[in-house]
Amino acid sequence: ILTLKGQRYLAAFISMIEIVIYVIGLGLVLDNLNEIQNLIAYAIGYGIGVIVGMKIEEKLALGFITVNVITKEYDKDVPKTLREKGYG
């Protein structure tokens, strides 16, 4: 979503942090596969990470909302005005 909004560098930076955390966590689990609690802890941590990520996205409001407008009259200025204000 950040990439679509034109924030390429922020998206790349966040992706770098995410992959470092992912690789370190997965490495710890793979190094100790004989201990089931590590796998369970990784799975729980992954699930919590998904929930936390959704909450962060809700707070930042980076997602997309689609609004359909149906009118009897066609107004050429409405789409232009919305695009000028940063809406797609």
Side-chain angles (χ1 to χ4, degrees), residues 57-75:
E57 199 279 330
E58 284 175 12
K59 297 293 182 192
L60 294 176
L62 296 174
F64 290 99
I65 297 173
T66 302
V67 177
N68 294 321
V69 178
I70 302 171
T71 65
K72 291 183 180 182
E73 298 178 18
Y74 178 71
D75 186 1

Side-chain angles (χ1 to χ4, degrees), residues 37-51:
Q37 66 267 21
N38 291 344
L39 182 58
I40 292 170
Y42 180 79
I44 291 171
Y46 186 85
I48 291 171
V50 169
I51 292 170

Side-chain angles (χ1 to χ4, degrees), residues 1-3 7-23:
I1 292 173
L2 287 170
T3 303
Q7 298 177 353
R8 296 179 194 155
Y9 297 111
L10 181 58
F13 180 72
I14 291 172
S15 296
M16 286 174 19
I17 293 171
E18 179 183 0
I19 199 66
V20 167
I21 293 169
Y22 178 78
V23 169

